[in-house]
């Protein structure tokens, strides 16, 4: 799996060049806007509601001395908690809403990689693509939250707790990569098969997602460019896997 993680990371090399070569930047306008608006909403919410949560948390401190300090700490922790939960939601909201725009991009990349001039392998409408994106990302969000809760609890255990941060990062990376890979998979295999496919190649999903998550740490620019680059990287590797497994239909080759 380690090899596939590095493979997923290396797939980002040349993504800018490929996007420019195929003239794909025009397809990313709306997804970039969606990404920026969702991220901005999360950041503003953290700033606006942190003091509200802190007010209720501070009620736990029944003494007068240190009450202001406890409120300040509560406010900071509330803001961090909102940001963490917000960015768990962020990638799933953005990926779900961007599905109808990212799937055609993935298709054009696939046509280029396969050397096909006319490549129309889509029988789904805009609304069907959106529904697939919502379905996949709601499922992934629930699974991610299910895994996140016990990992957070591990964080309270001395010494061992330090690994919780790494585990949380890898879980988020996996589901980010999952969403990016599904833009290609939705053309070729059904919902249930897609879940099995990504599980079999989880290293690739994690590698793709690691760079995705690191991009989010870059102010503004990272949020804008994360989707175009991660989808392009995931598409190239997913097409290669499908081709190697003979899971592409004969008219694609």
């Amino acid at each position: 799996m380690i090899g596939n993680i590095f493979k997923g990371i290396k797939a980002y090399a040349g993504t800018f060049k490929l996007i420019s070569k195929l003239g794909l930047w025009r397809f990313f306008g709306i997804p970039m806007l969606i990404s920026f608006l969702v991220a901005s909403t999360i950041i503003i919410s953290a700033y606006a509601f942190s003091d509200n949560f802190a007010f209720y948390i501070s009620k736990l401190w029944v003494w007068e001395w240190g009450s202001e300090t406890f409120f300040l700490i509560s406010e900071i922790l509330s803001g961090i908690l909102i940001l963490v939960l917000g960015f768990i939601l962020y990638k799933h909201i953005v990926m779900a809403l961007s599905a109808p725009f990212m799937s055609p991009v993935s298709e054009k990349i696939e046509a280029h990689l396969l050397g096909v001039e006319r490549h129309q392998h889509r029988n789904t409408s805009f609304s069907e693509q959106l529904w697939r994106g919502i379905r996949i990302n709601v499922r992934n969000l629930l699974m991610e939250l299910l895994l996140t809760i016990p990992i957070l609890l591990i964080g309270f255990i001395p010494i061992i707790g330090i690994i919780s941060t790494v585990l949380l990062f890898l879980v988020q990376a996996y589901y980010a990569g999952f969403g990016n890979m599904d833009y290609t998979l939705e053309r070729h295999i059904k919902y249930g098969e897609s879940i099995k496919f990504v599980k079999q190649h989880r290293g690739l999903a994690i590698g793709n997602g690691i760079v995705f998550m690191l991009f989010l740490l870059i102010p503004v620019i990272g949020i804008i460019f994360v989707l175009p680059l991660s989808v392009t990287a995931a598409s190239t590797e997913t097409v290669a896997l499908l081709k190697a497994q003979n899971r592409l239909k004969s008219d694609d080759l």
Side-chain angles (χ1 to χ4, degrees):
M1 187 172 77
I2 300 298
N4 281 332
I5 290 176
F6 284 108
K7 194 175 180 182
I9 293 172
K10 288 192 295 183
Y12 280 82
T15 49
F16 261 108
K17 184 178 179 181
L18 182 59
I19 292 171
S20 299
K21 180 179 180 180
L22 300 181
L24 299 177
W25 288 113
R26 58 195 173 95
F27 292 97
F28 293 117
I30 294 178
M32 283 177 171
L33 180 61
I34 292 171
S35 179
F36 180 76
L37 290 176
V38 173
S40 298
T41 301
I42 291 168
I43 294 170
I44 292 170
S45 297
Y47 177 79
F49 296 111
S50 59
D51 56 342
N52 297 82
F53 284 102
F55 174 77
Y56 293 104
I57 295 173
S58 64
K59 296 292 184 182
L60 298 172
W61 189 266
V62 295
W63 302 275
E64 291 231 4
W65 61 272
S67 58
E68 289 185 8
T69 302
F70 187 77
F71 180 85
L72 179 61
I73 294 172
S74 300
E75 191 174 24
I76 294 171
L77 291 176
S78 296
I80 293 173
L81 181 60
I82 294 171
L83 283 175
V84 170
L85 292 176
F87 279 104
I88 287 177
L89 290 170
Y90 162 83
K91 62 179 178 293
H92 297 294
I93 293 172
V94 171
M95 286 181 173
L97 296 180
S98 299
F101 307 99
M102 293 296 93
S103 294
V105 166
S106 173
E107 186 173 11
K108 289 182 180 296
I109 293 171
E110 181 177 327
H112 170 73
L113 295 174
L114 297 176
V116 180
E117 290 185 11
R118 296 186 62 188
H119 182 77
Q120 187 62 41
H121 187 63
R122 180 170 303 285
N123 299 314
T124 54
S125 64
F126 182 97
S127 59
E128 288 172 326
Q129 293 162 29
L130 180 60
W131 172 241
R132 164 88 174 216
I134 292 172
R135 190 180 177 193
I136 280 286
N137 281 282
V138 168
R139 180 260 176 198
N140 286 351
L141 172 61
L142 294 174
M143 291 299 298
E144 186 174 338
L145 290 174
L146 193 64
L147 292 170
T148 297
I149 293 170
I151 291 174
L152 285 174
L153 293 176
I154 291 174
F156 291 103
I157 302 174
I159 302 176
I160 314 177
I162 198 169
I163 67 169
S164 67
T165 303
V166 177
L167 290 176
L168 278 173
F169 182 81
L170 292 177
V171 167
Q172 290 209 42
Y174 171 69
Y175 286 108
F178 191 136
N180 288 326
M181 290 175 69
D182 193 64
Y183 293 134
T184 298
L185 296 175
E186 66 96 8
R187 286 192 299 280
H188 301 287
I189 58 181
K190 295 180 180 179
Y191 172 83
E193 291 179 271
S194 182
I195 294 171
K196 292 179 182 177
F197 183 92
V198 179
K199 283 182 179 178
Q200 291 169 355
H201 303 92
R202 58 172 59 90
L204 191 64
I206 291 172
N208 180 271
I210 284 174
V211 182
F212 181 101
M213 297 303 298
L214 291 176
F215 254 95
L216 296 182
L217 299 178
I218 305 173
V220 185
I221 295 175
I223 290 170
I224 293 174
F225 287 104
V226 64
L227 206 56
L229 300 182
S230 62
V231 170
T232 302
S235 297
T236 57
E237 292 304 314
T238 306
V239 169
L241 279 174
L242 290 170
K243 185 177 181 181
Q245 296 178 13
N246 296 314
R247 302 187 76 165
L248 297 175
K249 291 189 176 182
S250 57
D251 58 347
D252 297 332
L253 301 174

